[in-house]
Amino acid sequence: MTLLETINLKKSFGENVVVNDVSFNVDDGEVVSLVGPNGAGKTSLVNLLSAYLTPDHGQILFKGRDITSLSVSERIKIGIARSFQIANLFDELSALDNISLSISARSGKTYTFLSLADRDTGVQNEAGNILSLFGLDDKSNIPAKELAQGERKLLDVAVAYALKPSFLFLDEPTSGVSTRDKAKIMDTISSAVRNEGVTAAIIEHDMDIVFKYSDRIVVIADGRIIADGPPENIRDDKDVISVIMGSQGNEV
Amino acid sequence: MDIFILQVLNALFYASILYLIASGFTLIFGVMGIANMAHGSFYAVGAFVTAWSLGFLQSRGVEPWLLVFFLPLGAIAVAILGMLIEPILLRPFYQRAHEYQLLLTFGVLLIIEDGIQMIFGSDPLLVDMVIAPFGSLQIFSFRYPNYNFVVIGTGLVTAFLLWALMYRSRFGVVLRATSQDMRMASAMGINVGKVYVLAFGIGSFLAGLGGAIIVPTQTAVVGMGLEALIIAFVVVAVGGIGSQLGALIGALLVALVRTAGVHFVPEIELAVLFLIAVGVLLWRPTGLLGNAP
Amino acid sequence: MIIKIGAIKNVAQSKLFVISLLIALVLGALPFILGTYQTLLLAYGLIFAIAGLGFNLLLGYTGLLSFGHAAFFGVGAYAVAFAARDLGIKNMELLLLTGILSTFFLSVIFGIFCSGLTRIFFAIMCLALSQVVWVLSNKLYSITGGSDGMSVKWPSILWFDEYSGSGAFHRFIFDYYYYVLVIFCIMVTLMWLLCHSPFGKVLQAIRDNETRAQFVGINIKKCRFISFVISGSLTGLAGTLWVPLTGHITPESLHWPFSGEILFLTLLGGFQNFSGPIIGGIAFTYLKAYAVASTPYWQFVLGVALLLIVIAMPRGIVGLFSSLIARFTSRSERG
């Protein structure tokens, strides 16, 4: 069943067309990777889908409903969440509070004024469970700003995960993380996502990770989709690989 | 008709002073992101230093036409003050939350406001003797002092010089680079410390100049700096904080509104002024010519 | 693991409760030791602590610097003066109600204008709005008495009669101190709960990272608005409590330098701590009282004090002491 669908999505900044006529869809329960050279428009696409940007043209459908004009918070309500390329956290709050914030926002507890947040055992326990799921249970009382880079990226994903979305966008969850930790992070994310049956779209540069963890790969270059298929097909397509790898050469 | 022309001239006169104060404020904010709370007090210091020095020189027998050349003393004094305050007081706090800079300059404001009283006493100072040598101009039925044209001209010349400095000089390139990205500028080999102290010095000089050239027409009184600060806030809020053209347009608008306000609704003209600032902030939070935050 | 953390928090919270209770008891006993003047000063201190608590909900917890809080304080005070003069109300409870309602409405109006803005734009908007109120209070002298202001008589408190005759001043100050102390304790408790409630966490989240707050589904503007209204109303309550003590209100307490004083006291105590503005309010009252008494240049003294605070203890009095205590305890644990 199609969960998310885009129709002729387009976005430009002045002369620069960053997302050009993109139509694709994601099925329920799929883990899709978005790959392509830097500046190909992957993050812009995710920004459009999460309402961080408004498209100039085109439509976004979620569960068959047109959500193009919905705001960030409205999209979160219907179950679309995202993480960020550069860890985007509540720096002064503890890791546990970062998660509990998502949970209480999700469960409509934002406007609870006169009861102690840390006495809400329901929220606290759930937040604790999510922290353990992401292997951060020993960091629960540490302010987010004092966490290591890899831990911050994990927490960033965990904050989005705690919203219990049906669709989760992950913008380079392993960037800025040492190669050693990349697999660990992806294992964690992948098992969390698959256990809950969450549909995910991941932007990723590391092709080993992409081939290992995704059900399907969408290749984007110059704002357009140039290939779309299961990992084995993409791996064998030399032209596509050279576009992707060429970009990584440039990156270095 | 006569009154209309007179009012327009008065508005231009007032706009010139406002522009001098606001352009310095907006320059400092644009380059180093500091909302200098003591900026109005700098203006007051410029007025008091000029008034006191001219009074002193006159008592020593210096001719009025010669005194004119000593008007900029106040501006120079304030520039020196600013170039001491920036490196000593503000520089250690650039890495900290911007509340600290606000507080430090607020502390400077309190010190200067009382410092003026300690040094110059609380009697108002006036040096109107420098107006007479300029003579006056007959416009229809009234005579308008030529000195006021000098003030208007000073504003115009300053606007031109600032534009030339920002967009036609090497220092302007450095200044703009630093204001856009201090770390990048530093990495490119720009001496950011030097740029900051100069920018703060120029900004302070402009405020001091405003005070120095107004003091022949208005007495230097305790508290003048506080009012100037608040009006400067309104000017930059309307024009767009950090924008030099915004400061010019904001100064003209505020001067016109106040002149018209004093004429038509004298009781609440200040309220009208603040409401205009509120309106602009609601409509365009970054001011008429400000960049998006 | 989770239960253990919960237990640690419970211990810390009960410790805090005991300490607060002890402080409240000491504050309750002080008037018996202090003279009338010192009691009066302490009452002022508690009132400014309430004003600072309100202000810091915005600055410390929501990350918004208001430069117009004098408007709430002043309007709270003027509301009392009007109610006493024009409606003949002598009862403090009714005066309080009038003050709170007036500042509540004012905060709602200001909040509508301000809650869409941040940073310096927010500060200038607050400033401009409060200056409008200040101009009006000056110019509408047929109603407000202009720059001469209005005087306010001692109200009656609860069931106590009006204060007159010999020793009235002493009795009024003594009774009023307790009145202020009770309200102070209630407000501190409520604000402590608020700051540690889910909503308090939401405010801190918005302060830390507006974008992410939006992306967990928080309605930022609405939360800022609510925070603004609570903050303004609380500072207004302080103004309401303040005016019967001074007996006089002038536009000075609506003017922006007074907003600067509220900012000053909050930073003096430390805006990164819940208790910062409380300590700051009391410390500021004494600092100002002694500076004013000892020199005509008290602003100069305050200015120097401000510079010293920022340079020597940027986290305020509370921050300084908590780091001293932390250093001391870690040393004693080691040794």
Side-chain angles (χ1 to χ4, degrees):
Chain A
M1 191 197 110
T2 304
L3 185 64
L4 180 103
E5 187 178 0
T6 72
I7 305 168
N8 303 337
L9 215 51
K10 196 168 175 179
K11 177 73 187 178
S12 46
F13 295 110
E15 299 280 288
N16 190 12
V17 185
V18 287
V19 173
N20 197 353
D21 217 20
V22 166
S23 303
F24 82 117
N25 49 49
V26 181
D27 284 344
D28 207 356
E30 243 185 335
V31 174
V32 178
S33 286
L34 302 175
V35 299
N38 270 351
K42 296 167 307 226
T43 296
S44 298
L45 181 61
V46 169
N47 284 343
L48 288 175
L49 296 175
S50 60
Y52 199 47
L53 292 175
T54 324
D56 301 331
H57 181 75
Q59 264 185 314
I60 305 165
L61 304 180
F62 187 72
K63 294 178 181 165
R65 173 183 168 204
D66 186 347
I67 59 158
T68 320
S69 60
L70 294 195
S71 69
V72 170
S73 56
E74 286 165 329
R75 287 191 206 189
I76 289 164
K77 260 188 206 123
I78 60 167
I80 301 178
R82 69 170 294 183
S83 76
F84 290 83
Q85 190 177 345
I86 296 163
N88 214 339
L89 297 167
F90 306 116
D91 281 333
E92 304 287 332
L93 298 183
S94 68
L96 192 78
D97 278 347
N98 268 272
I99 309 281
S100 13
L101 212 89
S102 280
I103 299 168
S104 50
R106 182 194 80 211
S107 43
K109 287 179 177 164
T110 297
Y111 303 109
T112 309
F113 297 98
L114 294 177
S115 72
L116 294 178
D118 57 18
R119 292 286 173 89
D120 189 331
T121 42
V123 172
Q124 294 282 300
N125 288 343
E126 189 183 342
N129 289 338
I130 292 176
L131 274 184
S132 354
L133 190 64
F134 283 84
L136 292 168
D137 34 358
D138 54 337
K139 310 285 181 198
S140 68
N141 279 347
I142 297 175
K145 64 176 177 191
E146 286 167 23
L147 294 176
Q149 182 69 8
E151 292 163 350
R152 284 175 60 84
K153 291 292 291 199
L154 271 177
L155 187 59
D156 189 283
V157 175
V159 168
Y161 177 81
L163 292 169
K164 279 204 177 158
S166 45
F167 198 123
L168 181 57
F169 290 108
L170 301 169
D171 193 350
E172 301 195 22
T174 69
S175 72
V177 177
S178 69
T179 327
R180 199 162 39 90
D181 293 339
K182 276 188 181 179
K184 196 179 121 201
I185 288 184
M186 279 315 292
D187 282 340
T188 311
I189 293 175
S190 165
S191 67
V193 163
R194 289 191 194 274
N195 286 345
E196 292 287 324
V198 178
T199 308
I202 305 174
I203 295 180
E204 185 53 66
H205 278 296
D206 188 322
M207 290 313 288
D208 293 333
I209 284 180
V210 169
F211 289 132
K212 186 172 166 197
Y213 292 95
S214 33
D215 299 325
R216 207 175 101 212
I217 297 174
V218 175
V219 185
I220 300 174
D222 291 330
R224 287 175 187 278
I225 293 178
I226 58 164
D228 183 345
E232 46 279 17
N233 290 10
I234 301 290
R235 201 195 316 251
D236 299 337
D237 192 329
K238 292 229 167 57
D239 294 344
V240 169
I241 291 294
S242 75
V243 170
I244 304 167
M245 298 315 277
S247 77
Q248 288 194 329
N250 290 339
E251 230 173 280
V252 175
Chain B
M1 186 65 191
D2 291 18
I3 289 192
F4 179 74
I5 292 175
L6 184 66
Q7 295 289 23
V8 168
L9 284 173
N10 282 344
L12 286 175
F13 171 84
Y14 186 49
S16 170
I17 301 290
L18 280 184
Y19 170 71
L20 288 174
I21 304 170
S23 63
F25 182 86
T26 214
L27 177 78
I28 291 171
F29 186 87
V31 174
M32 48 192 96
I34 295 175
N36 179 16
M37 299 289 297
H39 201 72
S41 310
F42 284 3
Y43 161 78
V45 171
F48 272 95
V49 169
T50 292
W52 185 87
S53 332
L54 262 55
F56 175 80
L57 290 170
Q58 193 192 30
S59 72
R60 294 293 154 109
V62 180
E63 293 293 317
W65 66 269
L66 252 177
L67 287 177
V68 172
F69 296 97
F70 292 95
L71 274 176
L73 271 180
I76 294 164
V78 176
I80 294 169
L81 182 68
M83 290 170 86
L84 289 174
I85 287 175
E86 194 275 333
I88 296 173
L89 214 50
L90 300 178
R91 192 164 297 174
F93 291 89
Y94 287 142
Q95 306 301 326
R96 306 287 272 278
H98 68 280
E99 277 89 0
Y100 290 115
Q101 282 133 30
L102 220 60
L103 277 182
L104 287 166
T105 54
F106 185 60
V108 173
L109 173 153
L110 291 172
I111 292 173
I112 292 182
E113 286 302 314
D114 266 2
I116 287 176
Q117 282 197 58
M118 286 183 195
I119 297 170
F120 301 106
S122 25
D123 293 333
L125 298 176
L126 182 68
V127 284
D128 52 356
M129 62 279 192
V130 298
I131 296 181
F134 286 97
S136 58
L137 189 70
Q138 187 75 36
I139 303 175
F140 298 110
S141 63
F142 62 91
R143 297 193 70 81
Y144 199 68
N146 284 338
Y147 180 78
N148 288 21
F149 290 112
V150 173
V151 171
I152 296 171
T154 308
L156 286 173
V157 170
T158 307
F160 174 76
L161 287 178
L162 265 182
W163 171 82
L165 178 80
M166 293 289 276
Y167 297 99
R168 287 291 179 274
S169 77
R170 260 193 62 79
F171 181 68
V173 176
V174 171
L175 207 59
R176 281 180 290 142
T178 312
S179 64
Q180 272 177 7
D181 192 336
M182 183 259 267
R183 284 208 188 90
M184 186 69 96
S186 176
M188 279 160 58
I190 292 173
N191 184 342
V192 173
K194 202 169 133 191
V195 173
Y196 274 13
V197 76
L198 282 173
F200 204 85
I202 296 170
S204 311
F205 178 85
L206 291 168
L209 187 61
I213 62 172
I214 201 167
V215 83
T217 67
Q218 280 177 22
T219 48
V221 287
V222 171
M224 68 186 288
L226 298 184
E227 198 197 327
L229 174 70
I230 294 305
I231 306 294
F233 267 142
V234 174
V235 170
V236 295
V238 169
I241 190 158
S243 155
Q244 284 298 330
L245 188 60
L248 186 61
I249 288 172
L252 279 168
L253 270 176
V254 168
L256 283 172
V257 166
R258 281 205 81 174
T259 313
V262 170
H263 194 73
F264 296 111
V265 280
E267 286 301 297
I268 52 162
E269 57 92 11
L270 264 176
V272 171
L273 185 68
F274 289 120
L275 285 174
I276 286 176
V278 168
V280 170
L281 276 170
L282 274 187
W283 173 51
R284 270 184 71 100
T286 50
L288 297 176
L289 288 147
N291 297 318
Chain C
M1 182 72 200
I2 302 298
I3 295 159
K4 212 168 129 197
I5 292 165
I8 292 168
K9 275 188 180 155
N10 279 346
V11 171
Q13 280 169 7
S14 9
K15 220 184 208 173
L16 185 67
F17 178 74
V18 172
I19 292 172
S20 313
L21 205 63
L22 282 175
I23 293 174
L25 287 175
V26 169
L27 284 173
L30 275 174
F32 291 98
I33 307 160
L34 303 173
T36 307
Y37 177 66
Q38 291 296 330
T39 308
L40 174 71
L41 270 188
L42 201 55
Y44 277 132
L46 295 180
I47 289 169
F48 280 104
I50 296 176
L53 266 183
F55 177 80
N56 203 40
L57 183 68
L58 273 183
L59 179 67
Y61 285 89
T62 320
L64 293 170
L65 172 62
S66 160
F67 233 87
H69 260 48
F72 303 118
F73 193 93
V75 165
Y78 266 103
V80 170
F82 289 143
R85 187 191 65 185
D86 301 331
L87 304 175
I89 299 176
K90 287 177 180 154
N91 174 293
M92 190 57 207
E93 290 71 53
L94 283 176
L95 292 175
L96 264 182
L97 193 68
T98 320
I100 292 172
L101 284 178
S102 319
T103 45
F104 174 78
F105 283 120
L106 188 75
S107 335
V108 168
I109 295 168
F110 275 33
I112 291 169
F113 285 98
C114 295
S115 54
L117 302 168
T118 55
R119 303 185 305 152
I120 189 148
F121 308 105
F122 175 84
I124 294 181
M125 180 64 106
C126 293
L127 173 74
L129 288 170
S130 76
Q131 287 294 97
V132 172
V133 178
W134 171 70
V135 172
L136 292 179
S137 73
N138 253 315
K139 299 296 176 180
L140 303 175
Y141 33 73
S142 56
I143 307 168
T144 63
S147 55
D148 292 339
M150 297 162 73
S151 42
V152 177
K153 290 202 182 77
W154 290 332
S156 65
I157 300 172
L158 297 172
W159 54 87
F160 296 109
D161 280 338
E162 283 163 50
Y163 294 88
S164 58
S166 67
F169 178 68
H170 173 77
R171 273 186 291 127
F172 175 74
I173 299 299
F174 193 82
D175 291 352
Y176 198 76
Y177 172 83
Y178 284 103
Y179 200 77
V180 171
L181 180 62
V182 168
I183 293 174
F184 168 81
C185 291
I186 295 171
M187 288 304 145
V188 169
T189 311
L190 288 179
M191 285 302 281
W192 191 83
L193 279 172
L194 180 75
C195 290
H196 294 83
S197 72
F199 183 71
K201 297 279 181 192
V202 166
L203 292 184
Q204 293 167 57
I206 294 173
R207 171 200 69 193
D208 279 6
N209 192 335
E210 191 180 332
T211 308
R212 193 59 195 254
Q214 201 184 353
F215 275 93
V216 296
I218 291 168
N219 185 338
I220 292 172
K221 218 176 146 179
K222 187 173 167 189
C223 291
R224 280 201 179 120
F225 175 77
I226 295 172
S227 169
F228 192 94
V229 171
I230 297 172
S231 168
S233 306
L234 199 60
T235 303
L237 170 68
T240 304
L241 284 171
W242 175 78
V243 73
L245 269 187
T246 60
H248 196 74
I249 171 84
T250 66
E252 283 308 297
S253 31
L254 288 162
H255 201 194
W256 73 267
F258 192 73
S259 298
E261 287 188 14
I262 298 174
L263 168 66
F264 188 155
L265 70 89
T266 304
L267 291 145
L268 177 66
F271 71 102
Q272 283 141 328
N273 293 287
F274 176 79
S275 53
I278 300 174
I279 305 293
I282 296 169
F284 175 78
T285 303
Y286 280 89
L287 182 65
K288 189 176 167 183
Y290 286 102
V292 169
S294 56
T295 162
Y297 303 118
W298 59 272
Q299 285 198 77
F300 189 90
V301 177
L302 287 187
V304 172
L306 186 56
L307 295 188
L308 289 178
I309 292 163
V310 176
I311 292 165
M313 43 180 205
R315 290 173 62 224
I317 298 173
V318 173
L320 181 74
F321 275 96
S322 52
S323 58
L324 281 180
I325 289 169
R327 198 181 295 172
F328 180 73
T329 48
S330 73
R331 193 176 295 164
S332 61
E333 272 164 22
R334 251 182 272 144

